[in-house]
Each structure stands twice: as C-alpha cells, then as structure tokens.
Amino acid sequence: MNAVILLFPGTNRERDMAIALEKATGRRPTILFHAETGLPAGTDLVVLPGGFSHGDYLRCGAMAARSPIMPAVAEFAAKGGHILGVCNGFQILTEAGLLPGALLRNASLRFLSMDCHLRVETASSPFTSHWQKHAIFRAPMAHGDGNYFADDNTLDRLEAEDRVAFRYVTPAGEPTGAANRNGACRNIAGILSENRRILGMMPHPEDLVDSLMGGTDGLPLFESIAASLATA
Amino acid sequence: MRKAIVTVMPKAGVLDPQGKAIGHALGTLGFAGVGEVRTGKIIELELTETDPAAAKAQAEEMARRLLANTVIESFRVELA
C-alpha cells in the first residue's frame, strides 16, 4: 500500500503519522510538499496530518485547501481514492469541500490538549473495520478549533447514512455534554464521506500506536487501513 | 484602483463563542443593556478593476471562493 502524507507550511504531525502508517503497513509513506501539483503514480492513500498550516490564517485549513496540490487530491477523491485527515487535516478537508460541515472555535474558547475517549459509531468503513461497533478507545487531542458544525439537515443525513465515525464519550461510553469538550454538534469527532473512503477526525489516533507512547488505542485505525488497502 | 470592503460574519444560528466572550466582558466592565454580540472580519481589497459592477463581482467571487466559508459565514461586499 502506497501512502502519501501531505506537508503544508505549518504541518507538524507528519512524522507521527508516518510512524503509525509504517507500523501498520510495513511501508514507509512518501511525504509530499503542498506546492506539487500531482500525486505519485500508484498512490493508494492520501493523508492530511495535523498542525497549523499557514498559521491558521483566515480560517483553519482555508489556505491549505487552496494549495497547488489540492486539485490533484480532489481528482483522487473523485476517482474513489482513500483519504484520511486528522485535526488540521480534517479542517482542510471540510474547507476543500471534500467533507461536509466546518470546524468552529472550541465552544470554551480554550485550546484543548488532553486525552479524550471516542466511541466507534460504525465498523463499516476502511478506517474502522478493525474495531467492533461501539468500541471505546482513548485518543489524544490538541486543537483550538475542533467544534464540528453542520446544519441539521446535514447532521441528520450523516446519521441516516451511518457516516458518523466517532463520537466524544465518557470513559464508560456515554456521549454526554461533559465528554464533548469542544462543543461539537451531536458529539461528533469524525465523519465519513458518502463513499466512506474519506475520513476526517479531530483527535490523534496516530499518537497512540505503541506502548512506548503510552498505549496502542489508535492502532486499529491503521490496521483497518492496512487490511482494506492490502490488495491495492 | 478601487477599494472593495468585504464583511464576513457568522451565519445566524452558528455559535460565535468570541462574541459571547466579548458580551460577557462588556458586562464585567459595567456596560448594561448589551444584547447578543457577534464578531466577524472585515477584509479590504485594493482592485485594479475600475468599473464598479465588475469590481464588485470580482470581490464577491473572491469571497465565495476563499474569504468566507459559506457553510458557516455570510458576506457582504461594498465599494469604497
């Protein structure tokens, strides 16, 4: 499986992402600069990692979404390519119109740097197939703008189409207001595209993939990707 | 040169925590009678286009494609 990690000015989680992908797939991903206009031949997965691309100017992800590489990413998506966006990557995917909704400033106005608990809302995707539905796992988060927003019609549609991938929950698995630290609509932490091949999420599963990191809670996501794209 | 002024505001119903925080701080300072506070952005553009209608259309296209995220924000263009 050939993974490509996009690097924008201000991206800072590309190495963590490369480690997680290599651990699960056995192949080192290519890191590609945003000023390129094409993806390498044979790309199976495009990853937009976390960070503060272009200093979060205007809106988080707004500049990166208009980068020279993004038309190629949109074309890759249109052909059914798999894309993962984490944190700033999720913000970029919504800004690029590849996922619905937007990420607003955290309702508390505070930057959140802490662990959260996520509930897997669907195991039916190339990113979540190695979990059981409603499995609960821990993930670090570090963001100032993770408050997922979409209008009610969009939210109803996401739920009806089983496209909510993860929700913020208590360690016991309850989607309470207190567990929803950034104020996201309906506790949503991650969503899938219509064809289920694009995942955007705010927390960082790539930062819990080794016992040296304090746990392997995030590893199933990368194992799911490796298994789903193994034949590719 | 023509100056276009693009005002970008959060749409009605979109949470504006900055506006809320400002409203709260105004209350702390003793300003009474402040209702809802909403925050937005003003972006000034210097355009070489001199025809007013064309300049406005250009700025509106810029707002749609970059300056505003129309999922959460509305915008208004005025020529100075």
Side-chain angles (χ1 to χ4, degrees):
Chain A
M1 189 205 78
N2 298 312
V4 171
I5 300 176
L6 300 184
L7 183 69
F8 301 92
T11 296
N12 61 14
R13 306 303 272 272
E14 74 280 7
R15 290 187 194 87
D16 322 30
M17 191 58 82
I19 290 167
L21 283 164
E22 187 173 356
K23 189 176 170 84
T25 67
R27 303 239 352 222
R28 182 165 298 185
T30 303
I31 295 188
L32 190 71
F33 199 51
H34 73 116
E36 299 289 334
T37 53
L39 296 168
T43 299
D44 301 306
L45 172 74
V46 172
V47 182
L48 291 83
F52 301 88
S53 58
H54 297 271
D56 282 347
Y57 286 176
L58 192 65
R59 298 176 304 274
C60 299
M63 304 296 175
R66 280 86 180 167
S67 298
I69 191 62
M70 290 307 288
V73 175
E75 193 186 329
F76 178 73
K79 286 183 183 156
H82 290 75
I83 305 176
L84 169 66
V86 171
C87 198
N88 189 219
F90 184 15
Q91 294 164 341
I92 297 168
L93 290 174
T94 60
E95 278 284 340
L98 292 171
L99 286 174
L103 282 311
L104 305 178
R105 182 65 44 91
N106 293 342
S108 63
L109 286 173
R110 298 176 82 108
F111 189 94
L112 295 169
S113 177
M114 59 184 64
D115 281 355
C116 62
H117 285 84
L118 300 179
R119 190 174 70 190
V120 178
E121 299 295 287
T122 177
S124 162
S125 87
F127 304 96
T128 56
S129 56
H130 275 225
W131 275 296
Q132 299 287 325
K133 183 175 173 154
H134 288 167
I136 296 152
F137 69 103
R138 184 166 60 96
M141 62 174 168
H143 60 250
D145 298 69
N147 178 351
Y148 183 72
F149 173 86
D151 61 45
D152 284 332
N153 286 341
T154 305
L155 293 170
D156 290 345
R157 194 173 153 206
L158 286 172
E159 289 185 334
E161 294 175 357
D162 193 28
R163 288 166 54 194
V164 176
F166 306 111
R167 271 186 229 274
Y168 300 105
V169 293
T170 63
E174 294 304 315
T176 63
N180 191 25
R181 302 294 293 256
N182 58 27
C185 285
R186 304 188 192 179
N187 285 50
I188 290 174
I191 56 167
L192 294 159
S193 62
E194 210 170 339
N195 69 2
R196 315 186 79 73
R197 292 183 175 189
I198 306 177
L199 169 70
M201 64 187 299
M202 285 311 299
H204 291 277
E206 76 276 17
D207 286 334
L208 272 185
V209 296
D210 193 301
S211 54
L212 284 174
M213 294 170 164
T216 56
D217 289 57
L219 199 52
L221 186 133
F222 298 95
E223 291 169 341
S224 302
I225 294 172
S228 305
L229 297 178
T231 50
Chain B
M1 285 288 195
R2 276 214 93 96
K3 191 178 265 183
I5 299 169
V6 184
T7 306
V8 180
M9 292 296 293
K11 282 183 176 169
V14 174
L15 184 74
D16 177 13
Q18 288 189 87
K20 276 204 166 53
I22 292 167
H24 183 76
L26 288 172
T28 307
L29 287 174
F31 289 103
V34 180
E36 199 187 9
V37 180
R38 306 283 282 171
T39 57
K41 295 182 190 88
I42 289 182
I43 300 162
E44 292 186 355
L45 304 166
E46 236 176 42
L47 304 175
T48 51
E49 177 62 65
T50 50
D51 176 66
K56 189 165 189 219
Q58 218 176 61
E60 282 172 349
E61 180 65 8
M62 292 175 194
R64 262 190 295 277
R65 291 191 49 197
L66 176 64
L67 307 179
N69 177 345
T70 54
V71 174
I72 49 173
E73 295 167 326
S74 59
F75 66 86
R76 185 174 76 234
V77 174
E78 290 157 291
L79 295 181

